[in-house]
Amino acid sequence: MTTVTDLNQPTLQPAAPTGRRLSLPVLLLVIAGALALTSLVRIITGADGITNVSQMSTALQLAVPIGLAGLGGLWAERAGVVNIGLEGMMILGTWFGAWAGFQWGPWTGVLVGIIGGALGGLLHAIVTITFNVNHIVSGVAINILALGATRYLAPLAFEGHPGGSAKQSPPVDSLGHFTIPGLSDGLKSLNEHGWFLVSDLAGLLGGLVTDVSWLTLIAVALIPATWWILWRTPFGLRLRSCGENPVAAESLGVNVYKYKYLAVIISGGLAGLGGVFLSLVANPFYLEGQTSGRGYIGLAAMIFGNWMPGGLAIGAGLFGYTDSLNLRGGSANVHALLLLGALLLLAGAIWLVVRRKYVKAAITLVVGALVFAWYAGTDEVPNQVVSATPYVVTLVVLALSAQRLRMPKADGMPYRKGQGK
């Protein structure tokens, strides 16, 4: 952590983000390379669905709740509080959002859903910060409590209303979608030509301007907003100092309890907003089990992103894309992506050879050969593999990125005021 002289000075220039990170030009080059490789696989396999506009639009919709949950985890953990309770806070967001939405309108549902998630965050903050309960235990308890509470409340609130039941709310009015007519049609037409790289890029951009919810715009805007607040303001520096060295932060006049509480409540509100997205945008009603583990996948996206908003957004997009394979031509697309996986493993083996890690390179090459053999020896993959793809990708990505991760130094550690004296 960079040393500063006074965290309370308004003219303080916050320190740059710490940890091992790719520079922006290198990151853009990696993304461009991955897109080019995907385009090559599309041409070889004929699986045009892996980069068409509809696929990308669906992937964006599925990535948003994961990204919001991940943002919630980032806020909490940057202040030193592990938030395993993101799943429960999302559940609260789905229920409260739908409950208020069908009675008073969708935008009221958005606000109430955020408050519902924030209440879960407040409970987590009280238990972990004030009473120093283990963060993992508290998070798991909140997940169980949220599930039980919504199961109890749903029959009381929804039964007897048209379309409502013990496990489902009545329909909620739409928040509205928008499409940029000329741009959307042009990109869709360009995508249908099937040109190398150009059509794939058009499909990616077309998904960003076709049938987009207003809540999606808000969620996307929260990524740079989080980066700016946490890394370019004195408030963000103080908050991050609580996750790096709370004793040093306290010695410089920071109210550590206050910043931890704020971070965890904001964390719950963001996870609640992710839940609202599920019950108001992805589906216009609350449904029991609606989150389907997205809170945990959001936590994985945050870890993949090395506790940084940009990396988190890439992770959420990756997990959202693999999840979208279930909905649009999943078997054919996943079969084509086996070839992509084999090529990526080959590239990884070459990179390891360059770095003189020959044993790891050999293992990677063998795994790549097995994946290619699977692709070459089959015409499709079982539906069970398609359904499991998002979770398998989550595990693989975390395993491959583990060596470059750098969590906040005091993340999950208990803190008592004055403990450094």
Side-chain angles (χ1 to χ4, degrees):
M1 178 181 172
T2 303
T3 302
V4 295
T5 57
D6 187 357
L7 290 171
N8 290 308
Q9 290 295 326
T11 58
L12 174 67
Q13 294 297 320
T18 56
R20 297 174 59 188
R21 298 185 298 115
L22 293 175
S23 64
L24 182 60
V26 173
L27 180 60
L28 293 176
L29 185 63
V30 170
I31 294 173
L35 188 60
L37 198 59
T38 303
S39 181
L40 179 63
V41 167
R42 175 185 59 79
I43 292 173
I44 293 173
T45 62
D48 294 332
I50 61 176
T51 58
N52 65 24
V53 172
S54 298
Q55 183 77 54
M56 294 304 179
S57 180
T58 303
L60 176 63
Q61 180 170 294
L62 294 171
V64 167
I66 294 172
L68 287 170
L71 268 185
L74 186 147
W75 272 85
E77 299 208 10
R78 278 295 176 180
V81 179
V82 176
N83 192 355
I84 299 294
L86 291 169
E87 178 77 5
M89 295 168 197
M90 287 189 77
I91 291 173
L92 293 174
T94 60
W95 191 90
F96 279 100
W99 170 72
F102 94 88
Q103 295 188 81
W104 302 300
W107 287 107
T108 303
V110 171
L111 178 60
V112 174
I114 292 172
I115 294 172
L119 289 175
L122 176 61
L123 177 60
H124 187 51
I126 292 171
V127 172
T128 57
I129 300 169
T130 301
F131 295 102
N132 261 343
V133 173
N134 181 277
H135 298 189
I136 306 298
V137 172
S138 173
V140 172
I142 286 174
N143 291 338
I144 297 171
L145 180 63
L147 183 60
T150 52
R151 281 183 175 176
Y152 172 76
L153 292 171
L156 300 177
F158 301 141
E159 281 187 338
H161 295 277
S165 69
K167 296 186 177 181
Q168 179 177 316
S169 74
V172 182
D173 292 338
S174 173
L175 288 167
H177 294 73
F178 73 91
T179 296
I180 303 178
L183 183 58
S184 175
D185 295 339
L187 289 171
K188 187 175 182 180
S189 175
L190 194 59
N191 176 248
E192 291 172 350
H193 281 83
W195 295 331
F196 174 73
L197 192 58
V198 175
S199 292
D200 303 280
L201 185 60
L204 176 61
L205 296 176
L208 302 177
V209 296
T210 304
D211 290 331
V212 180
S213 167
W214 294 106
L215 203 56
T216 300
L217 278 186
I218 295 172
V220 171
L222 285 171
I223 299 290
T226 292
W227 174 83
W228 184 80
I229 292 171
L230 292 183
W231 277 274
R232 288 295 180 268
T233 66
F235 169 84
L237 176 57
R238 296 182 192 120
L239 187 146
R240 288 187 293 114
S241 71
C242 296
E244 297 289 345
N245 193 333
V247 174
E250 181 189 338
S251 70
L252 294 171
V254 174
N255 187 334
V256 177
Y257 281 172
K258 181 183 79 172
Y259 281 92
K260 283 179 177 285
Y261 261 89
L262 284 173
V264 179
I265 291 171
I266 292 171
S267 172
L270 288 168
L273 183 60
V276 168
F277 188 92
L278 291 173
S279 61
L280 297 186
V281 178
N283 295 298
F285 50 81
Y286 162 81
L287 185 65
E288 186 177 304
Q290 202 164 24
T291 56
S292 300
R294 287 181 176 86
Y296 299 112
I297 299 178
L299 198 63
M302 178 204 69
I303 296 171
F304 166 79
N306 208 8
W307 288 264
M308 295 292 295
L312 181 157
I314 294 173
L318 173 63
F319 299 142
Y321 177 78
T322 55
D323 201 11
S324 70
L325 297 175
N326 287 321
L327 303 179
R328 295 187 176 275
S331 181
N333 290 341
V334 172
H335 183 258
L337 292 178
L338 288 176
L339 177 59
L340 176 62
L343 293 175
L344 288 174
L345 287 168
L346 175 61
I350 294 172
W351 172 247
L352 289 170
V353 169
V354 171
R355 299 183 66 185
R356 299 182 180 180
K357 296 182 178 180
Y358 300 115
V359 175
K360 292 182 178 180
I363 294 173
T364 303
L365 190 60
V366 169
V367 174
L370 291 174
V371 173
F372 179 77
W374 185 6
Y375 165 77
T378 59
D379 294 325
E380 60 180 20
V381 295
N383 289 331
Q384 293 86 344
V385 174
V386 178
S387 300
T389 297
Y391 308 102
V392 173
V393 169
T394 301
L395 293 174
V396 170
V397 166
L398 288 179
L400 295 177
S401 63
Q403 293 183 346
R404 68 175 183 86
L405 300 179
R406 191 275 192 197
M407 65 190 297
K409 291 182 179 178
D411 194 14
M413 296 176 59
Y415 165 79
R416 284 291 187 189
K417 186 176 182 180
Q419 69 182 38
K421 296 181 180 179

